Amino acid sequence: MSIPYYVSPEQLIKDKADYARKGIARGRSVVVMQYDGGILFVAENPSRALHKISEIYDRIAFAAVGKYNEFENMRVAGIRFADLRGFSYDRSDVTGRSLANAYAQTLGTIFTETPKPYEVEIVVAEVGATPEDDQLYRLTFDGSVGDEHGYVAMGGSAEAITTALSERWNARMSFDDAVRLATELLGRDGGTEPRTLTPGQIEVAVLDRARPRRTFKRISGDRLAEILGVPDDEADSAGAP
Amino acid sequence: MSERVAGRLPQAFLATGSSGFVDFLTAYDPSLLPGAGVPSHGSLEAPHGTTIVAATFPHGMVMAGDRRATMGNMIASRDIEKVYPADEHSCVGIAGTAGIAVELVRLFQVELEHYEKIEGAQLSIEGKANRLSSMIRGNLGMAFQGLAVVPMFGGYDPDGDRGRIFSYDVTGGRYEEHAFHAVGSGSVFARGSLKKMYRADLAPADAVSVVLEALYDAADDDSATGGPDLARRIYPVVAIVDADGYRRLPDSELEPLVQNLVNQRSSRPNGPFAPLPEGDAS
């Protein structure tokens, strides 16, 4: 009869956390920040079909880094959660806080109960009637929730980007300035030569405070090229809108 | 693994495969579906919504509904709304049992938005029409008890740059209508009116006049259809759907149109004359 290995709970949790962190650090980063008209999302993402940023509900959006199949699973679950709540109560009863809680419980359970944790990090953002009412929640692979203010960066070079944002970000930034800042910082990913990201390499979306009902809107193609002052290298061949 | 840890999203939320909200609801909590929990026999009286008319014009369509709901010989509501946006480029009008129809529309709106969010693209207009069809079929049991819902669906089809109209029967049968259509108790009279006034090349504003005339004619002969209520300033709900999306005409725009129509009818109560074909008049 063999004696099973004893692994201390501390070691087990630490191993899982290290594993998840490594997975997340391999991916490109995402920046979420407030600007003078709402909340901006910018992700480095060369794919135009597989999104890292998504609409969840009227005033709520989602951004994620990590393993695509795992955060896609969470994204769909979030849309179901929000639509179910909005249908059974009222549209105004769907809040970012309740969604963040549901995500936190789900990620926490997956982290403790399954051998392989989700390698994802998620931001749930809700745009309010005024900038003071905006909410940004950052969720990590183990179910921890952070209530963030102003900006969040996730992914491989989150720390470097967060440091730069703490110096250069302010709440009254215009939309164009905010997009340029986020794109520049994402281009410093990796630490070596700064890269100039083209519109085809990034995914940009906003929760626009001024829009009625569904506030989520994607920004791409010519409009994005105009803001960045960089031609969209794929626009001609892909026929972007 | 435990199915329900407090607060955690149940397995149904994380299941992959379906992009439909109705499918999800059926699997997760069917008690929330419209009409769930209705006893399987017996009948009851509930408010009924009445007449909806729609007409296409080049590059778009218009749908309008009167504002009356009736229960037997009583007027249950004089300002019910029966034309709703289904999504940005389509609308749905409802005739039949008002309570279930309104709930069905709400579910249909969520269904379209849910698909759009999950798939990142809108359903085709046929896809939307088919979804509505299967939702009506789901209500068949209640239709047997007299709680039928008969909607009309319309929208803008970017593929052909035109407006399209779909009608349904209680079993969910879906029929594409060309040019114009009407449903509900006053539909017979409205259709007669539309037949004489409709032209394929109507300007949007003229299409609005045509549907308003048709509703007036329906209200003229059907007691369950409400005419424009000038005293209370209650006018039909009129929605236009074209390339710019869904737009409901505000009361400020409708008021002069309705006032004008009523003035015209006070000198000619049966409405405008349709010209006789040439050569037959001798």
Side-chain angles (χ1 to χ4, degrees):
Chain A
M1 191 180 126
S2 67
I3 301 167
Y5 282 116
Y6 172 75
V7 182
S8 73
E10 288 88 347
Q11 188 60 44
L12 192 68
I13 298 289
K14 188 175 170 301
D15 286 353
K16 280 193 193 180
D18 286 345
Y19 174 82
R21 262 190 217 105
K22 263 184 221 158
I24 293 163
R26 273 197 296 272
R28 302 284 188 200
S29 303
V30 175
V31 175
V32 182
M33 61 170 143
Q34 284 178 288
Y35 70 100
D36 65 1
I39 300 174
L40 168 74
F41 300 75
V42 183
E44 185 178 356
N45 183 5
S47 168
R48 295 198 178 202
L50 307 176
H51 297 301
K52 289 184 173 180
I53 300 166
S54 165
E55 173 183 17
I56 297 283
Y57 210 64
D58 292 352
R59 309 187 73 83
I60 304 171
F62 163 107
V65 294
K67 252 185 126 208
Y68 178 78
N69 67 323
E70 291 174 349
F71 68 67
E72 173 67 8
N73 204 221
M74 297 299 285
R75 182 185 78 90
V76 170
I79 292 171
R80 287 175 178 160
F81 175 86
D83 278 343
L84 178 67
R85 193 166 265 242
F87 179 69
S88 47
Y89 303 110
D90 182 73
R91 294 195 84 88
S92 61
D93 296 314
V94 182
T95 61
R97 194 183 56 80
S98 61
L99 178 66
N101 270 330
Y103 274 156
Q105 297 296 339
T106 309
L107 285 169
T109 314
I110 291 170
F111 183 75
T112 48
E113 287 186 4
T114 59
K116 184 206 158 306
Y118 271 20
E119 298 158 65
V120 295
E121 210 167 307
I122 295 170
V123 164
V124 172
E126 179 177 6
V127 68
T130 64
E132 291 73 40
D133 300 328
D134 286 355
Q135 291 170 38
L136 284 178
Y137 298 98
R138 177 202 192 130
L139 295 123
T140 48
F141 53 84
D142 60 354
S144 318
V145 198
D147 186 0
E148 306 284 341
H149 298 280
Y151 52 85
V152 191
M154 309 181 288
S157 52
E159 267 181 51
I161 295 176
T162 307
T163 314
L165 279 172
S166 69
E167 290 159 7
R168 299 177 54 187
W169 173 86
N170 73 72
R172 289 175 307 282
M173 285 183 113
S174 71
F175 171 71
D176 291 14
D177 288 344
V179 173
R180 281 193 283 264
L181 174 62
T183 311
E184 181 198 327
L185 297 179
L186 286 172
R188 289 203 204 152
D189 209 330
T192 51
E193 277 290 285
R195 298 168 297 142
T196 307
L197 297 175
T198 61
Q201 289 171 302
I202 57 171
E203 182 184 351
V204 180
V206 289
L207 287 172
D208 183 345
R209 204 186 310 285
R211 277 169 74 90
R213 217 167 83 97
R214 288 170 77 181
T215 59
F216 184 85
K217 190 176 154 201
R218 291 189 186 279
I219 318 286
S220 59
D222 292 343
R223 174 85 182 93
L224 191 54
E226 182 193 315
I227 297 168
L228 295 177
V230 178
D232 187 353
D233 48 354
E234 288 172 36
D236 297 330
S237 54
Chain B
M1 239 198 322
S2 56
E3 169 65 19
R4 280 183 196 243
V5 176
R8 129 162 230 187
L9 292 170
Q11 202 51 45
F13 287 77
L14 297 163
T16 51
S18 165
S19 308
F21 183 70
V22 176
D23 296 345
F24 167 69
L25 210 55
T26 309
Y28 178 66
D29 193 353
S31 70
L32 289 171
L33 290 168
V38 173
S40 58
H41 51 82
S43 67
L44 78 165
E45 211 174 2
H48 263 66
T50 45
T51 311
I52 308 289
V53 298
T56 59
F57 55 82
H59 316 302
M61 56 90 56
V62 56
M63 188 181 281
D66 74 305
R67 302 292 290 272
R68 182 172 290 181
T70 55
M71 198 161 76
N73 63 328
M74 301 289 283
I75 293 175
S77 168
R78 46 179 116 251
D79 61 356
I80 188 176
E81 296 187 0
K82 294 179 283 191
V83 175
Y84 296 87
D87 66 0
E88 230 168 290
H89 287 101
S90 62
C91 62
V92 56
I94 47 167
T97 312
I100 293 167
V102 170
E103 194 68 0
L104 196 79
V105 167
R106 228 159 64 82
L107 183 61
F108 184 53
Q109 290 168 331
V110 177
E111 174 79 9
L112 298 187
E113 188 186 316
H114 187 81
Y115 180 93
E116 190 188 327
K117 286 189 288 196
I118 288 188
E119 295 294 321
Q122 281 199 6
L123 276 168
S124 65
I125 194 156
E126 285 91 354
K128 293 174 194 171
N130 286 340
R131 286 309 297 158
L132 186 56
S133 177
S134 71
M135 287 167 65
I136 299 163
R137 202 167 296 123
N139 191 53
L140 193 54
M142 280 186 299
F144 276 111
Q145 296 169 57
L147 302 177
V149 176
V150 185
M152 180 155 56
F153 176 69
Y156 171 74
D157 184 357
D159 285 343
D161 184 26
R162 63 196 172 112
R164 294 175 71 176
I165 298 170
F166 296 89
S167 70
Y168 297 87
D169 63 30
V170 283
T171 62
R174 186 207 87 169
Y175 314 95
E176 177 157 12
E177 302 294 339
H178 300 282
F180 59 83
H181 193 64
V183 291
S185 62
S187 62
V188 187
F189 310 110
R191 228 174 288 169
S193 175
L194 283 163
K195 264 186 193 170
K196 299 297 172 217
M197 297 190 62
Y198 180 82
R199 321 259 180 289
D201 58 352
L202 288 170
D206 296 332
V208 170
S209 301
V210 168
V211 293
L212 285 174
E213 293 278 355
L215 277 181
Y216 194 100
D217 283 324
D220 212 15
D221 288 309
D222 172 35
S223 64
T225 303
D229 190 339
L230 293 177
R232 294 190 181 82
R233 292 169 184 268
I234 299 171
Y235 310 122
V237 177
V238 182
I240 292 179
V241 186
D242 57 18
D244 296 332
Y246 173 95
R247 187 171 83 92
R248 177 177 166 178
L249 295 193
D251 279 356
S252 58
E253 250 175 86
L254 277 172
E255 188 164 345
L257 296 175
V258 171
Q259 192 70 55
N260 184 38
L261 186 152
V262 173
N263 291 344
Q264 301 273 335
R265 295 270 177 154
S266 59
S267 56
R268 187 174 281 169
N270 295 330
F273 284 131
L276 291 174
E278 278 172 40
D280 284 9
S282 64

